[in-house]
Amino acid sequence: MTTKEERLSFLEEMSDVRRIKRPNRADVQASRVVTPGHLERQHSAVSDTPKDTNPLTGDNVEPLKSHDVLAYQRPGIQHGVYRKLRLGQYPIEARLDLHRMTVDEARREVFSFINECLSHGIRSALILHGKGERNPDGIAQLKSYLAKWLPELEPVMAFHSAQKHHGGTGAVYVMLRKGDRDKQHNRERYGSK
């Protein structure tokens, strides 16, 4: 509560304040004049459908069960590096959770996520896809699609189902290639060409 002196002091400080005479409102009436630029924007919005640059396909997916292990290694990946990935010994720098997504939503998210990781120099990530144990047919749908999509993405060097404490067969570790910035940094640091 305020005291009487505080109220009087406040009123004294506010004594020269006056109400604004005109209303303080923005003019929100839309312009009725149709300009050539307006017509062009309207035409392009209606006629141009955005091109889908996502290369991930949805055909011929091998159905996987909840406890199937995902494993993939591009040629040239050292066995020790792959073993470390498989055992979850790389720090997880980014995560993507696909739970409760449709296949189409997951397709967009995976493509976007991998590109984001690449642009930020992230080398190891975890994708949570779920086991699909609640599906009546026992098929892990998102897991099945993810097993097809990840090898289709050129930046993905290897992947393997996660260790139990990271989600087990309901998640996958993903190793990404070095971005151009990291390659240049290594060249400068180690003096190779």
Side-chain angles (χ1 to χ4, degrees):
M1 292 208 317
T2 58
T3 64
K4 183 176 181 179
E5 289 121 20
E6 289 173 335
R7 285 189 301 243
L8 288 174
S9 174
F10 175 77
L11 290 173
E12 187 177 314
E13 290 291 324
M14 300 302 287
S15 64
D16 61 342
V17 174
R18 300 286 174 244
R19 183 182 293 268
I20 297 174
K21 299 270 187 223
R22 38 183 202 151
N24 190 15
R25 294 186 183 141
D27 180 22
V28 292
Q29 292 296 326
S31 173
R32 303 272 188 238
V33 179
V34 178
T35 64
H38 176 78
L39 289 173
E40 185 61 34
R41 284 190 302 276
Q42 187 178 33
H43 174 71
S44 71
V46 171
S47 65
D48 293 344
T49 55
K51 186 181 177 205
D52 186 11
T53 58
N54 188 337
L56 303 179
T57 59
D59 320 351
N60 304 325
V61 175
E62 181 184 332
L64 299 174
K65 300 283 185 182
S66 64
H67 296 292
D68 290 343
V69 173
L70 299 182
Y72 173 80
Q73 177 181 2
R74 279 201 198 279
I77 299 296
Q78 297 171 352
H79 294 294
V81 170
Y82 186 67
R83 181 179 182 275
K84 220 173 150 180
L85 175 74
R86 184 175 50 85
L87 296 174
Q89 294 177 345
Y90 287 111
I92 296 170
E93 300 171 290
R95 293 173 192 264
L96 174 64
D97 190 350
L98 301 177
H99 286 95
R100 301 198 191 310
M101 287 190 192
T102 64
V103 170
D104 199 44
E105 290 169 339
R107 178 182 167 269
R108 285 191 305 270
E109 287 297 316
V110 168
F111 181 67
S112 174
F113 176 71
I114 297 298
N115 286 326
E116 283 272 321
C117 287
L118 198 60
S119 70
H120 288 90
I122 291 172
R123 299 291 314 280
S124 62
L126 179 71
I127 299 178
L128 303 156
H129 49 74
K131 294 182 181 181
E133 291 176 324
R134 293 187 188 126
N135 293 344
D137 57 2
I139 306 259
Q141 190 175 28
L142 288 180
K143 180 181 192 171
S144 302
Y145 278 95
L146 197 61
K148 179 165 176 48
W149 292 337
L150 289 177
E152 292 178 348
L153 293 169
E154 187 262 330
V156 174
M157 302 310 292
F159 60 85
H160 197 280
S161 289
Q163 293 293 310
K164 192 171 186 172
H165 63 280
H166 284 137
T169 57
V172 65
Y173 299 124
V174 180
M175 175 181 284
L176 302 168
R177 71 170 163 80
K178 284 184 184 172
D180 294 333
R181 185 175 47 204
D182 290 333
K183 287 178 186 175
Q184 182 62 33
H185 176 73
N186 280 354
R187 284 186 202 107
E188 292 169 0
R189 186 173 178 188
Y190 300 109
S192 65
K193 293 186 179 183

